[in-house]
Amino acid sequence: MDKIFEGKELNKGKGGISFLTHNEIDRINLTRNAFTMALITHINGEMWQ
Protein backbone atom coordinates (compact mmCIF):
# COMPACT_ATOMS: atom_id res chain seq x y z
CA MET A 1 0.00 0.00 0.00
CA ASP A 2 2.82 2.41 0.82
CA LYS A 3 4.37 1.74 -2.57
CA ILE A 4 1.06 2.41 -4.33
CA PHE A 5 0.18 5.48 -2.24
CA GLU A 6 3.64 7.05 -2.15
CA GLY A 7 4.82 6.18 1.35
CA LYS A 8 1.88 7.47 3.39
CA GLU A 9 2.78 4.88 6.09
CA LEU A 10 -0.70 3.39 6.01
CA ASN A 11 0.42 0.45 8.14
CA LYS A 12 1.00 2.78 11.10
CA GLY A 13 -2.48 4.30 11.19
CA LYS A 14 -5.99 3.32 10.26
CA GLY A 15 -4.83 1.47 7.17
CA GLY A 16 -5.36 1.57 3.45
CA ILE A 17 -9.11 1.10 3.71
CA SER A 18 -9.35 4.29 5.75
CA PHE A 19 -7.34 6.16 3.14
CA LEU A 20 -9.41 4.75 0.27
CA THR A 21 -12.76 5.56 1.96
CA HIS A 22 -11.73 9.03 3.21
CA ASN A 23 -11.91 7.83 6.85
CA GLU A 24 -15.45 6.43 6.52
CA ILE A 25 -14.23 2.90 7.36
CA ASP A 26 -11.11 1.92 9.26
CA ARG A 27 -9.45 -1.50 9.31
CA ILE A 28 -10.90 -2.39 12.73
CA ASN A 29 -14.49 -1.73 11.63
CA LEU A 30 -13.91 -3.50 8.33
CA THR A 31 -12.60 -6.58 10.14
CA ARG A 32 -15.42 -6.48 12.71
CA ASN A 33 -18.07 -6.25 10.00
CA ALA A 34 -16.47 -9.00 7.91
CA PHE A 35 -16.36 -11.28 10.96
CA THR A 36 -20.02 -10.56 11.74
CA MET A 37 -21.02 -11.25 8.14
CA ALA A 38 -19.15 -14.56 8.25
CA LEU A 39 -21.17 -15.57 11.33
CA ILE A 40 -24.61 -14.79 9.87
CA THR A 41 -25.43 -18.42 9.18
CA HIS A 42 -24.55 -19.29 12.79
CA ILE A 43 -26.37 -16.33 14.31
CA ASN A 44 -29.55 -17.08 12.32
CA GLY A 45 -29.06 -20.81 11.89
CA GLU A 46 -32.76 -21.66 11.79
CA MET A 47 -33.21 -19.52 8.66
CA TRP A 48 -30.62 -21.53 6.72
CA GLN A 49 -32.03 -25.02 7.29
Side-chain angles (χ1 to χ4, degrees):
M1 292 295 282
D2 284 343
K3 188 181 252 186
I4 294 168
F5 294 109
E6 301 175 3
K8 295 194 182 297
E9 297 185 358
L10 299 174
N11 61 336
K12 294 182 180 176
K14 294 181 181 181
I17 193 65
S18 182
F19 180 77
L20 292 169
T21 63
H22 302 281
N23 295 317
E24 290 295 322
I25 302 170
D26 61 21
R27 78 174 89 185
I28 298 297
N29 288 325
L30 177 65
T31 302
R32 182 182 298 124
N33 289 338
F35 185 75
T36 302
M37 296 294 287
L39 292 176
I40 284 176
T41 58
H42 299 285
I43 294 168
N44 297 298
E46 66 281 354
M47 294 177 66
W48 301 100
Q49 294 182 10

PDB file of all heavy atoms in Angstrom, residues 9-41:
ATOM      1  N   GLU A   9       2.670   5.662   4.858  1.00  0.00           N
ATOM      2  CA  GLU A   9       2.776   4.875   6.085  1.00  0.00           C
ATOM      3  C   GLU A   9       1.409   4.414   6.583  1.00  0.00           C
ATOM      4  O   GLU A   9       1.053   4.570   7.749  1.00  0.00           O
ATOM      5  CB  GLU A   9       3.531   5.652   7.163  1.00  0.00           C
ATOM      6  CG  GLU A   9       4.956   5.946   6.772  1.00  0.00           C
ATOM      7  CD  GLU A   9       5.763   6.614   7.856  1.00  0.00           C
ATOM      8  OE1 GLU A   9       5.209   6.891   8.934  1.00  0.00           O
ATOM      9  OE2 GLU A   9       6.946   6.844   7.625  1.00  0.00           O
ATOM     10  N   LEU A  10       0.649   3.827   5.681  1.00  0.00           N
ATOM     11  CA  LEU A  10      -0.700   3.391   6.007  1.00  0.00           C
ATOM     12  C   LEU A  10      -0.717   2.282   7.060  1.00  0.00           C
ATOM     13  O   LEU A  10      -1.701   2.132   7.773  1.00  0.00           O
ATOM     14  CB  LEU A  10      -1.410   2.925   4.737  1.00  0.00           C
ATOM     15  CG  LEU A  10      -1.569   4.011   3.668  1.00  0.00           C
ATOM     16  CD1 LEU A  10      -2.150   3.404   2.408  1.00  0.00           C
ATOM     17  CD2 LEU A  10      -2.435   5.143   4.160  1.00  0.00           C
ATOM     18  N   ASN A  11       0.380   1.533   7.164  1.00  0.00           N
ATOM     19  CA  ASN A  11       0.418   0.446   8.142  1.00  0.00           C
ATOM     20  C   ASN A  11       0.573   0.957   9.572  1.00  0.00           C
ATOM     21  O   ASN A  11       0.440   0.216  10.520  1.00  0.00           O
ATOM     22  CB  ASN A  11       1.539  -0.536   7.812  1.00  0.00           C
ATOM     23  CG  ASN A  11       2.904   0.102   7.845  1.00  0.00           C
ATOM     24  OD1 ASN A  11       3.043   1.307   7.686  1.00  0.00           O
ATOM     25  ND2 ASN A  11       3.921  -0.705   8.021  1.00  0.00           N
ATOM     26  N   LYS A  12       0.820   2.227   9.762  1.00  0.00           N
ATOM     27  CA  LYS A  12       0.996   2.784  11.100  1.00  0.00           C
ATOM     28  C   LYS A  12      -0.248   3.508  11.600  1.00  0.00           C
ATOM     29  O   LYS A  12      -0.269   3.993  12.714  1.00  0.00           O
ATOM     30  CB  LYS A  12       2.184   3.747  11.114  1.00  0.00           C
ATOM     31  CG  LYS A  12       3.500   3.052  10.855  1.00  0.00           C
ATOM     32  CD  LYS A  12       4.649   3.998  10.926  1.00  0.00           C
ATOM     33  CE  LYS A  12       5.941   3.251  10.649  1.00  0.00           C
ATOM     34  NZ  LYS A  12       7.081   4.156  10.612  1.00  0.00           N
ATOM     35  N   GLY A  13      -1.268   3.595  10.782  1.00  0.00           N
ATOM     36  CA  GLY A  13      -2.481   4.304  11.191  1.00  0.00           C
ATOM     37  C   GLY A  13      -3.709   3.441  11.017  1.00  0.00           C
ATOM     38  O   GLY A  13      -3.725   2.276  11.388  1.00  0.00           O
ATOM     39  N   LYS A  14      -4.718   4.011  10.431  1.00  0.00           N
ATOM     40  CA  LYS A  14      -5.990   3.316  10.263  1.00  0.00           C
ATOM     41  C   LYS A  14      -5.979   2.349   9.092  1.00  0.00           C
ATOM     42  O   LYS A  14      -6.904   1.586   8.915  1.00  0.00           O
ATOM     43  CB  LYS A  14      -7.120   4.332  10.084  1.00  0.00           C
ATOM     44  CG  LYS A  14      -7.350   5.159  11.321  1.00  0.00           C
ATOM     45  CD  LYS A  14      -8.487   6.124  11.123  1.00  0.00           C
ATOM     46  CE  LYS A  14      -8.696   6.961  12.362  1.00  0.00           C
ATOM     47  NZ  LYS A  14      -9.795   7.893  12.213  1.00  0.00           N
ATOM     48  N   GLY A  15      -4.969   2.409   8.264  1.00  0.00           N
ATOM     49  CA  GLY A  15      -4.829   1.465   7.170  1.00  0.00           C
ATOM     50  C   GLY A  15      -5.282   2.005   5.835  1.00  0.00           C
ATOM     51  O   GLY A  15      -5.839   3.092   5.716  1.00  0.00           O
ATOM     52  N   GLY A  16      -5.028   1.192   4.823  1.00  0.00           N
ATOM     53  CA  GLY A  16      -5.357   1.566   3.455  1.00  0.00           C
ATOM     54  C   GLY A  16      -6.839   1.773   3.237  1.00  0.00           C
ATOM     55  O   GLY A  16      -7.245   2.651   2.480  1.00  0.00           O
ATOM     56  N   ILE A  17      -7.664   0.961   3.901  1.00  0.00           N
ATOM     57  CA  ILE A  17      -9.111   1.101   3.712  1.00  0.00           C
ATOM     58  C   ILE A  17      -9.586   2.466   4.187  1.00  0.00           C
ATOM     59  O   ILE A  17     -10.464   3.075   3.586  1.00  0.00           O
ATOM     60  CB  ILE A  17      -9.887  -0.059   4.391  1.00  0.00           C
ATOM     61  CG1 ILE A  17     -11.339  -0.099   3.927  1.00  0.00           C
ATOM     62  CG2 ILE A  17      -9.806   0.026   5.891  1.00  0.00           C
ATOM     63  CD1 ILE A  17     -11.521  -0.418   2.481  1.00  0.00           C
ATOM     64  N   SER A  18      -8.999   2.966   5.249  1.00  0.00           N
ATOM     65  CA  SER A  18      -9.355   4.288   5.753  1.00  0.00           C
ATOM     66  C   SER A  18      -8.974   5.366   4.725  1.00  0.00           C
ATOM     67  O   SER A  18      -9.745   6.288   4.454  1.00  0.00           O
ATOM     68  CB  SER A  18      -8.647   4.561   7.073  1.00  0.00           C
ATOM     69  OG  SER A  18      -9.015   5.817   7.577  1.00  0.00           O
ATOM     70  N   PHE A  19      -7.793   5.216   4.159  1.00  0.00           N
ATOM     71  CA  PHE A  19      -7.344   6.161   3.138  1.00  0.00           C
ATOM     72  C   PHE A  19      -8.257   6.120   1.916  1.00  0.00           C
ATOM     73  O   PHE A  19      -8.681   7.151   1.404  1.00  0.00           O
ATOM     74  CB  PHE A  19      -5.902   5.842   2.743  1.00  0.00           C
ATOM     75  CG  PHE A  19      -5.342   6.760   1.705  1.00  0.00           C
ATOM     76  CD1 PHE A  19      -4.923   8.039   2.036  1.00  0.00           C
ATOM     77  CD2 PHE A  19      -5.244   6.345   0.392  1.00  0.00           C
ATOM     78  CE1 PHE A  19      -4.413   8.890   1.076  1.00  0.00           C
ATOM     79  CE2 PHE A  19      -4.726   7.185  -0.575  1.00  0.00           C
ATOM     80  CZ  PHE A  19      -4.314   8.466  -0.234  1.00  0.00           C
ATOM     81  N   LEU A  20      -8.595   4.910   1.473  1.00  0.00           N
ATOM     82  CA  LEU A  20      -9.408   4.754   0.271  1.00  0.00           C
ATOM     83  C   LEU A  20     -10.853   5.209   0.459  1.00  0.00           C
ATOM     84  O   LEU A  20     -11.516   5.594  -0.505  1.00  0.00           O
ATOM     85  CB  LEU A  20      -9.391   3.294  -0.189  1.00  0.00           C
ATOM     86  CG  LEU A  20      -8.044   2.799  -0.713  1.00  0.00           C
ATOM     87  CD1 LEU A  20      -8.073   1.291  -0.878  1.00  0.00           C
ATOM     88  CD2 LEU A  20      -7.686   3.491  -2.006  1.00  0.00           C
ATOM     89  N   THR A  21     -11.372   5.164   1.700  1.00  0.00           N
ATOM     90  CA  THR A  21     -12.759   5.562   1.957  1.00  0.00           C
ATOM     91  C   THR A  21     -12.858   6.940   2.609  1.00  0.00           C
ATOM     92  O   THR A  21     -13.920   7.304   3.113  1.00  0.00           O
ATOM     93  CB  THR A  21     -13.470   4.534   2.858  1.00  0.00           C
ATOM     94  OG1 THR A  21     -12.817   4.481   4.127  1.00  0.00           O
ATOM     95  CG2 THR A  21     -13.506   3.155   2.208  1.00  0.00           C
ATOM     96  N   HIS A  22     -11.759   7.689   2.604  1.00  0.00           N
ATOM     97  CA  HIS A  22     -11.734   9.027   3.209  1.00  0.00           C
ATOM     98  C   HIS A  22     -12.209   8.981   4.657  1.00  0.00           C
ATOM     99  O   HIS A  22     -13.054   9.760   5.091  1.00  0.00           O
ATOM    100  CB  HIS A  22     -12.568  10.016   2.390  1.00  0.00           C
ATOM    101  CG  HIS A  22     -12.101  10.137   0.977  1.00  0.00           C
ATOM    102  ND1 HIS A  22     -11.008  10.884   0.616  1.00  0.00           N
ATOM    103  CD2 HIS A  22     -12.557   9.568  -0.162  1.00  0.00           C
ATOM    104  CE1 HIS A  22     -10.822  10.793  -0.681  1.00  0.00           C
ATOM    105  NE2 HIS A  22     -11.750   9.985  -1.184  1.00  0.00           N
ATOM    106  N   ASN A  23     -11.656   8.026   5.415  1.00  0.00           N
ATOM    107  CA  ASN A  23     -11.911   7.833   6.850  1.00  0.00           C
ATOM    108  C   ASN A  23     -13.337   7.417   7.190  1.00  0.00           C
ATOM    109  O   ASN A  23     -13.758   7.523   8.339  1.00  0.00           O
ATOM    110  CB  ASN A  23     -11.525   9.082   7.647  1.00  0.00           C
ATOM    111  CG  ASN A  23     -10.053   9.368   7.588  1.00  0.00           C
ATOM    112  OD1 ASN A  23      -9.240   8.459   7.701  1.00  0.00           O
ATOM    113  ND2 ASN A  23      -9.702  10.623   7.385  1.00  0.00           N
ATOM    114  N   GLU A  24     -14.098   6.931   6.231  1.00  0.00           N
ATOM    115  CA  GLU A  24     -15.448   6.431   6.519  1.00  0.00           C
ATOM    116  C   GLU A  24     -15.386   5.060   7.191  1.00  0.00           C
ATOM    117  O   GLU A  24     -16.216   4.739   8.029  1.00  0.00           O
ATOM    118  CB  GLU A  24     -16.285   6.339   5.240  1.00  0.00           C
ATOM    119  CG  GLU A  24     -16.657   7.679   4.659  1.00  0.00           C
ATOM    120  CD  GLU A  24     -17.578   8.483   5.561  1.00  0.00           C
ATOM    121  OE1 GLU A  24     -18.469   7.888   6.189  1.00  0.00           O
ATOM    122  OE2 GLU A  24     -17.377   9.700   5.655  1.00  0.00           O
ATOM    123  N   ILE A  25     -14.400   4.241   6.811  1.00  0.00           N
ATOM    124  CA  ILE A  25     -14.235   2.898   7.362  1.00  0.00           C
ATOM    125  C   ILE A  25     -12.765   2.731   7.717  1.00  0.00           C
ATOM    126  O   ILE A  25     -11.895   3.050   6.912  1.00  0.00           O
ATOM    127  CB  ILE A  25     -14.632   1.819   6.333  1.00  0.00           C
ATOM    128  CG1 ILE A  25     -16.062   2.014   5.874  1.00  0.00           C
ATOM    129  CG2 ILE A  25     -14.425   0.424   6.903  1.00  0.00           C
ATOM    130  CD1 ILE A  25     -16.445   1.138   4.699  1.00  0.00           C
ATOM    131  N   ASP A  26     -12.494   2.239   8.924  1.00  0.00           N
ATOM    132  CA  ASP A  26     -11.108   1.924   9.255  1.00  0.00           C
ATOM    133  C   ASP A  26     -10.941   0.404   9.281  1.00  0.00           C
ATOM    134  O   ASP A  26     -11.897  -0.341   9.166  1.00  0.00           O
ATOM    135  CB  ASP A  26     -10.664   2.568  10.569  1.00  0.00           C
ATOM    136  CG  ASP A  26     -11.470   2.112  11.773  1.00  0.00           C
ATOM    137  OD1 ASP A  26     -12.093   1.037  11.726  1.00  0.00           O
ATOM    138  OD2 ASP A  26     -11.474   2.844  12.778  1.00  0.00           O
ATOM    139  N   ARG A  27      -9.711  -0.054   9.410  1.00  0.00           N
ATOM    140  CA  ARG A  27      -9.450  -1.499   9.308  1.00  0.00           C
ATOM    141  C   ARG A  27     -10.111  -2.289  10.437  1.00  0.00           C
ATOM    142  O   ARG A  27     -10.512  -3.426  10.235  1.00  0.00           O
ATOM    143  CB  ARG A  27      -7.970  -1.792   9.199  1.00  0.00           C
ATOM    144  CG  ARG A  27      -7.220  -1.711  10.493  1.00  0.00           C
ATOM    145  CD  ARG A  27      -5.792  -2.143  10.344  1.00  0.00           C
ATOM    146  NE  ARG A  27      -4.989  -0.995   9.980  1.00  0.00           N
ATOM    147  CZ  ARG A  27      -3.726  -1.037   9.675  1.00  0.00           C
ATOM    148  NH1 ARG A  27      -3.088  -2.163   9.656  1.00  0.00           N
ATOM    149  NH2 ARG A  27      -3.060   0.036   9.358  1.00  0.00           N
ATOM    150  N   ILE A  28     -10.249  -1.688  11.614  1.00  0.00           N
ATOM    151  CA  ILE A  28     -10.901  -2.388  12.731  1.00  0.00           C
ATOM    152  C   ILE A  28     -12.371  -2.613  12.418  1.00  0.00           C
ATOM    153  O   ILE A  28     -12.899  -3.724  12.583  1.00  0.00           O
ATOM    154  CB  ILE A  28     -10.747  -1.591  14.042  1.00  0.00           C
ATOM    155  CG1 ILE A  28      -9.277  -1.450  14.425  1.00  0.00           C
ATOM    156  CG2 ILE A  28     -11.547  -2.235  15.166  1.00  0.00           C
ATOM    157  CD1 ILE A  28      -8.560  -2.742  14.717  1.00  0.00           C
ATOM    158  N   ASN A  29     -13.071  -1.580  11.962  1.00  0.00           N
ATOM    159  CA  ASN A  29     -14.488  -1.728  11.629  1.00  0.00           C
ATOM    160  C   ASN A  29     -14.688  -2.658  10.437  1.00  0.00           C
ATOM    161  O   ASN A  29     -15.653  -3.428  10.412  1.00  0.00           O
ATOM    162  CB  ASN A  29     -15.135  -0.372  11.360  1.00  0.00           C
ATOM    163  CG  ASN A  29     -15.312   0.419  12.633  1.00  0.00           C
ATOM    164  OD1 ASN A  29     -15.572  -0.134  13.687  1.00  0.00           O
ATOM    165  ND2 ASN A  29     -15.152   1.723  12.539  1.00  0.00           N
ATOM    166  N   LEU A  30     -13.812  -2.604   9.474  1.00  0.00           N
ATOM    167  CA  LEU A  30     -13.912  -3.502   8.326  1.00  0.00           C
ATOM    168  C   LEU A  30     -13.783  -4.956   8.780  1.00  0.00           C
ATOM    169  O   LEU A  30     -14.576  -5.807   8.393  1.00  0.00           O
ATOM    170  CB  LEU A  30     -12.839  -3.177   7.293  1.00  0.00           C
ATOM    171  CG  LEU A  30     -12.789  -4.096   6.079  1.00  0.00           C
ATOM    172  CD1 LEU A  30     -14.059  -3.960   5.259  1.00  0.00           C
ATOM    173  CD2 LEU A  30     -11.578  -3.791   5.239  1.00  0.00           C
ATOM    174  N   THR A  31     -12.808  -5.221   9.639  1.00  0.00           N
ATOM    175  CA  THR A  31     -12.600  -6.575  10.143  1.00  0.00           C
ATOM    176  C   THR A  31     -13.783  -7.025  10.993  1.00  0.00           C
ATOM    177  O   THR A  31     -14.259  -8.162  10.855  1.00  0.00           O
ATOM    178  CB  THR A  31     -11.297  -6.639  10.960  1.00  0.00           C
ATOM    179  OG1 THR A  31     -10.218  -6.221  10.129  1.00  0.00           O
ATOM    180  CG2 THR A  31     -11.031  -8.039  11.478  1.00  0.00           C
ATOM    181  N   ARG A  32     -14.268  -6.151  11.863  1.00  0.00           N
ATOM    182  CA  ARG A  32     -15.422  -6.481  12.712  1.00  0.00           C
ATOM    183  C   ARG A  32     -16.643  -6.816  11.859  1.00  0.00           C
ATOM    184  O   ARG A  32     -17.330  -7.813  12.102  1.00  0.00           O
ATOM    185  CB  ARG A  32     -15.737  -5.308  13.638  1.00  0.00           C
ATOM    186  CG  ARG A  32     -16.891  -5.577  14.599  1.00  0.00           C
ATOM    187  CD  ARG A  32     -17.213  -4.367  15.467  1.00  0.00           C
ATOM    188  NE  ARG A  32     -16.072  -4.027  16.303  1.00  0.00           N
ATOM    189  CZ  ARG A  32     -15.491  -2.834  16.332  1.00  0.00           C
ATOM    190  NH1 ARG A  32     -15.941  -1.847  15.584  1.00  0.00           N
ATOM    191  NH2 ARG A  32     -14.459  -2.603  17.115  1.00  0.00           N
ATOM    192  N   ASN A  33     -16.913  -6.009  10.865  1.00  0.00           N
ATOM    193  CA  ASN A  33     -18.070  -6.246   9.997  1.00  0.00           C
ATOM    194  C   ASN A  33     -17.913  -7.517   9.168  1.00  0.00           C
ATOM    195  O   ASN A  33     -18.870  -8.271   8.996  1.00  0.00           O
ATOM    196  CB  ASN A  33     -18.322  -5.049   9.090  1.00  0.00           C
ATOM    197  CG  ASN A  33     -18.848  -3.861   9.854  1.00  0.00           C
ATOM    198  OD1 ASN A  33     -19.401  -4.008  10.941  1.00  0.00           O
ATOM    199  ND2 ASN A  33     -18.671  -2.677   9.303  1.00  0.00           N
ATOM    200  N   ALA A  34     -16.712  -7.780   8.681  1.00  0.00           N
ATOM    201  CA  ALA A  34     -16.472  -8.998   7.906  1.00  0.00           C
ATOM    202  C   ALA A  34     -16.665 -10.233   8.784  1.00  0.00           C
ATOM    203  O   ALA A  34     -17.259 -11.230   8.354  1.00  0.00           O
ATOM    204  CB  ALA A  34     -15.062  -8.987   7.317  1.00  0.00           C
ATOM    205  N   PHE A  35     -16.204 -10.167  10.024  1.00  0.00           N
ATOM    206  CA  PHE A  35     -16.364 -11.278  10.955  1.00  0.00           C
ATOM    207  C   PHE A  35     -17.844 -11.516  11.255  1.00  0.00           C
ATOM    208  O   PHE A  35     -18.322 -12.652  11.239  1.00  0.00           O
ATOM    209  CB  PHE A  35     -15.595 -10.977  12.244  1.00  0.00           C
ATOM    210  CG  PHE A  35     -15.596 -12.112  13.218  1.00  0.00           C
ATOM    211  CD1 PHE A  35     -14.807 -13.228  12.998  1.00  0.00           C
ATOM    212  CD2 PHE A  35     -16.381 -12.052  14.350  1.00  0.00           C
ATOM    213  CE1 PHE A  35     -14.803 -14.279  13.906  1.00  0.00           C
ATOM    214  CE2 PHE A  35     -16.387 -13.098  15.261  1.00  0.00           C
ATOM    215  CZ  PHE A  35     -15.595 -14.210  15.044  1.00  0.00           C
ATOM    216  N   THR A  36     -18.580 -10.443  11.482  1.00  0.00           N
ATOM    217  CA  THR A  36     -20.020 -10.558  11.743  1.00  0.00           C
ATOM    218  C   THR A  36     -20.736 -11.153  10.544  1.00  0.00           C
ATOM    219  O   THR A  36     -21.589 -12.036  10.692  1.00  0.00           O
ATOM    220  CB  THR A  36     -20.622  -9.184  12.097  1.00  0.00           C
ATOM    221  OG1 THR A  36     -19.936  -8.665  13.238  1.00  0.00           O
ATOM    222  CG2 THR A  36     -22.097  -9.283  12.395  1.00  0.00           C
ATOM    223  N   MET A  37     -20.398 -10.707   9.350  1.00  0.00           N
ATOM    224  CA  MET A  37     -21.021 -11.247   8.142  1.00  0.00           C
ATOM    225  C   MET A  37     -20.727 -12.737   7.991  1.00  0.00           C
ATOM    226  O   MET A  37     -21.584 -13.507   7.580  1.00  0.00           O
ATOM    227  CB  MET A  37     -20.532 -10.493   6.907  1.00  0.00           C
ATOM    228  CG  MET A  37     -20.911  -9.030   6.879  1.00  0.00           C
ATOM    229  SD  MET A  37     -22.675  -8.761   6.738  1.00  0.00           S
ATOM    230  CE  MET A  37     -22.915  -9.210   5.052  1.00  0.00           C
ATOM    231  N   ALA A  38     -19.519 -13.148   8.355  1.00  0.00           N
ATOM    232  CA  ALA A  38     -19.150 -14.556   8.253  1.00  0.00           C
ATOM    233  C   ALA A  38     -19.947 -15.418   9.231  1.00  0.00           C
ATOM    234  O   ALA A  38     -20.142 -16.613   8.991  1.00  0.00           O
ATOM    235  CB  ALA A  38     -17.657 -14.720   8.503  1.00  0.00           C
ATOM    236  N   LEU A  39     -20.427 -14.822  10.309  1.00  0.00           N
ATOM    237  CA  LEU A  39     -21.172 -15.567  11.327  1.00  0.00           C
ATOM    238  C   LEU A  39     -22.684 -15.565  11.115  1.00  0.00           C
ATOM    239  O   LEU A  39     -23.414 -16.171  11.894  1.00  0.00           O
ATOM    240  CB  LEU A  39     -20.870 -14.994  12.708  1.00  0.00           C
ATOM    241  CG  LEU A  39     -19.453 -15.200  13.216  1.00  0.00           C
ATOM    242  CD1 LEU A  39     -19.266 -14.499  14.544  1.00  0.00           C
ATOM    243  CD2 LEU A  39     -19.136 -16.673  13.346  1.00  0.00           C
ATOM    244  N   ILE A  40     -23.165 -14.916  10.079  1.00  0.00           N
ATOM    245  CA  ILE A  40     -24.610 -14.788   9.872  1.00  0.00           C
ATOM    246  C   ILE A  40     -25.320 -16.133   9.883  1.00  0.00           C
ATOM    247  O   ILE A  40     -26.372 -16.271  10.508  1.00  0.00           O
ATOM    248  CB  ILE A  40     -24.914 -14.022   8.568  1.00  0.00           C
ATOM    249  CG1 ILE A  40     -24.659 -12.540   8.787  1.00  0.00           C
ATOM    250  CG2 ILE A  40     -26.356 -14.247   8.116  1.00  0.00           C
ATOM    251  CD1 ILE A  40     -24.841 -11.704   7.558  1.00  0.00           C
ATOM    252  N   THR A  41     -24.754 -17.120   9.220  1.00  0.00           N
ATOM    253  CA  THR A  41     -25.431 -18.424   9.184  1.00  0.00           C
ATOM    254  C   THR A  41     -25.489 -19.069  10.564  1.00  0.00           C
ATOM    255  O   THR A  41     -26.394 -19.844  10.845  1.00  0.00           O
ATOM    256  CB  THR A  41     -24.773 -19.380   8.193  1.00  0.00           C
ATOM    257  OG1 THR A  41     -23.400 -19.564   8.551  1.00  0.00           O
ATOM    258  CG2 THR A  41     -24.864 -18.851   6.770  1.00  0.00           C
TER     259      THR A  41
END
